[in-house]
Amino acid sequence: MTRIPENDRNILEQAIYLPMVLTILNRDLQIVDKSPFKLKRPYLELIEETMKVIQGELAYVKKYMRVNKMKVERLQSDDAFTMYMFIYKGYEEHHNYFNPRLRNRVEDLMRHYLFRRFLETKSPLEKPESPRQA
């Protein structure tokens, strides 16, 4: 049984997922830059702007974690699972994540940041309180 509240666990998971999304987008940015697209600038700008948004959310996550005495570390991985250690206000928990689940979640986040976030309509008064939850 976990001692970590759901909201804080979601933040910890964002600290896992967002760097993965940035790594993939950075790799894709290099591939698009070297590709023979006739007009590659729009693709580069889309990826770069998406990376800026994600970096902003990751900065929020890291600040939240620092203020709330939370930490996540990757311990080990094999073909099927990756183990992370969550440190939450002095408590230590180990969580195993199925690698296909990690990949699918990162893919969902990429869809959100590259496409769906533009479709989500928000009223001008509504401000996000925290980054997209896992």
Side-chain angles (χ1 to χ4, degrees):
M1 180 79 181
T2 183
R3 296 176 184 240
I4 304 173
E6 184 178 354
N7 183 53
D8 287 345
R9 189 178 64 247
N10 289 339
I11 294 288
L12 288 164
E13 288 182 346
Q14 289 299 310
I16 295 170
Y17 297 131
L18 293 179
M20 289 180 182
V21 175
L22 285 173
T23 299
I24 292 167
L25 288 175
N26 195 30
R27 193 176 306 153
D28 291 351
L29 185 68
Q30 294 170 3
I31 291 169
V32 170
D33 193 36
K34 294 176 184 175
S35 71
F37 288 132
K38 187 165 189 145
L39 298 171
K40 62 177 118 178
R41 192 74 220 146
Y43 298 105
L44 294 173
E45 288 174 358
L46 175 64
I47 295 171
E48 289 168 352
E49 290 303 314
T50 301
M51 289 175 71
K52 286 179 187 175
V53 170
I54 295 168
Q55 287 166 344
E57 290 192 11
L58 185 57
Y60 170 84
V61 165
K62 287 181 177 182
K63 182 179 178 183
Y64 182 91
M65 287 173 57
R66 187 174 49 255
V67 167
N68 291 285
K69 299 180 178 124
M70 299 164 50
K71 191 174 183 182
V72 62
E73 288 183 22
R74 182 177 173 193
L75 294 179
Q76 62 187 13
S77 64
D78 56 31
D79 292 339
F81 292 93
T82 302
M83 180 182 285
Y84 290 92
M85 176 177 60
F86 292 172
I87 299 174
Y88 180 76
K89 299 181 180 178
Y91 294 103
E92 182 178 309
E93 294 182 4
H94 293 219
H95 294 261
N96 271 323
Y97 287 85
F98 190 48
N99 290 339
R101 177 182 179 247
L102 290 171
R103 182 179 57 248
N104 291 339
R105 184 65 186 128
V106 169
E107 187 176 323
D108 287 344
L109 286 169
M110 286 183 66
R111 273 193 202 98
H112 167 75
Y113 287 114
L114 288 169
F115 177 67
R116 290 187 197 139
R117 70 185 166 113
F118 298 112
L119 299 177
E120 294 173 359
T121 56
K122 294 183 179 174
S123 68
L125 299 176
E126 186 179 337
K127 294 182 182 177
E129 294 179 17
S130 65
R132 180 164 163 76
Q133 299 299 312

